[in-house]
Structure formats: structure tokens, C-alpha cells
Amino acid sequence: MDYEVKEFERDFEMDKEINIPIKELMEKLNEKYKFDYNLFVDETGMSAQTFSNIVHGIKVPHIKTFVAFCIIYKIDVKNAIDVLRAWGYTFKPGNKVHHAYIKLLENYSGEAIDVCNEYLKKLEIEEKYWLPSNK
């Protein structure tokens, strides 16, 4: 088999491995990050249904809800981007709010949601874009 065909096959196999359906991707992430319903609800004040929709890949959450989810479970920015892509979305280049969310994922993973919102406030991000908080 010629080199170009081998390279194509190799790349295609990798593409299939990393581009899996959202439900399967969320199952893999759950194995790694151990999603806990109580932690999500305590931090965000959001419903069990919202948690279930995210964890089971049922319904695309609002981006700020998804970022809060990633912060709570310490999901790194690369995996967050992969999940968004699996849902058919991405962070928008040139969007100040989305840029701030990426910075949160890079630098505030595992922090309390209120700490993240203080950062957003400092960046003069409108309150309607702050992460959902139980406080």
C-alpha cells in the first residue's frame, strides 16, 4: 500500500476515535471525571433535568451552563471543545464572552462558580453571561 493511502487510513482511524457521538463521548468523560449530580446542583442551583441532559448528551446546554459544568468537574479546554464540536457547536472566535469562557477553562478549573463570576465581572462581561450560580 502506498504511503499516502496508509497515511489517509491512519488519520481516518484517529478521526473516528476522537469524533464519536455525543452520548458515547459523555459516557467516556463520565468514566474519567465522575460526574456527581449533587456537586452540579449545589454549585449552579440548576435542575436535575439540566444535569441529566448534559451528562447523557440529550440536549445542548446554554454555553454558560456548559462552561460551568466543565469548571465544576475540571474538564480541560481541549475536552470541552471536543464536546462542543460533538454537539455541533464551538466557541466563537472574536467573541469577548467566549474568549473569557476559554480563559476560565484554562485558568479556573475546579474553582467555585462565584470566583469565576468575579473574574467575568473584572473583565466587564455583562452579568447575563455569568455562569449559573446557586449563590
Side-chain angles (χ1 to χ4, degrees):
M1 189 182 298
D2 106 332
Y3 176 74
E4 288 178 330
V5 173
K6 283 182 183 177
E7 186 175 300
F8 172 84
E9 293 296 332
R10 182 200 65 206
D11 291 348
F12 181 61
E13 286 304 312
M14 178 56 74
D15 187 52
K16 288 191 309 189
E17 283 182 38
I18 63 174
N19 292 295
I20 57 179
I22 186 64
K23 289 181 182 186
E24 190 178 331
L25 179 57
M26 292 308 292
E27 285 174 13
K28 286 183 181 218
L29 287 175
N30 192 14
E31 288 173 19
K32 180 177 179 182
Y33 294 103
K34 309 292 184 225
F35 302 142
D36 176 300
Y37 159 78
N38 292 318
L39 181 59
F40 179 76
V41 171
D42 289 348
E43 279 289 317
T44 67
M46 301 197 80
S47 71
Q49 187 62 51
T50 299
F51 176 81
S52 181
N53 286 344
I54 295 170
V55 169
H56 299 294
I58 296 168
K59 183 178 176 190
V60 180
H62 190 283
I63 188 84
K64 66 183 180 181
T65 303
F66 176 69
V67 170
F69 183 86
C70 292
I71 295 291
I72 291 167
Y73 297 109
K74 301 178 185 175
I75 297 172
D76 67 8
V77 70
K78 188 230 178 283
N79 284 327
I81 289 169
D82 288 344
V83 171
L84 284 176
R85 185 180 62 233
W87 263 315
Y89 290 90
T90 189
F91 289 110
K92 297 175 186 166
N95 182 301
K96 183 179 180 181
V97 173
H98 286 215
H99 188 77
Y101 289 163
I102 290 169
K103 290 297 181 186
L104 283 175
L105 291 170
E106 289 174 344
N107 301 316
Y108 287 78
S109 182
E111 290 286 346
I113 296 298
D114 290 341
V115 171
C116 296
N117 284 336
E118 282 299 316
Y119 174 71
L120 294 173
K121 182 178 181 180
K122 192 184 306 185
L123 297 176
E124 298 181 357
I125 301 296
E126 290 181 66
E127 192 170 346
K128 68 182 180 180
Y129 297 113
W130 293 4
L131 306 183
S133 173
N134 198 23
K135 295 170 174 102

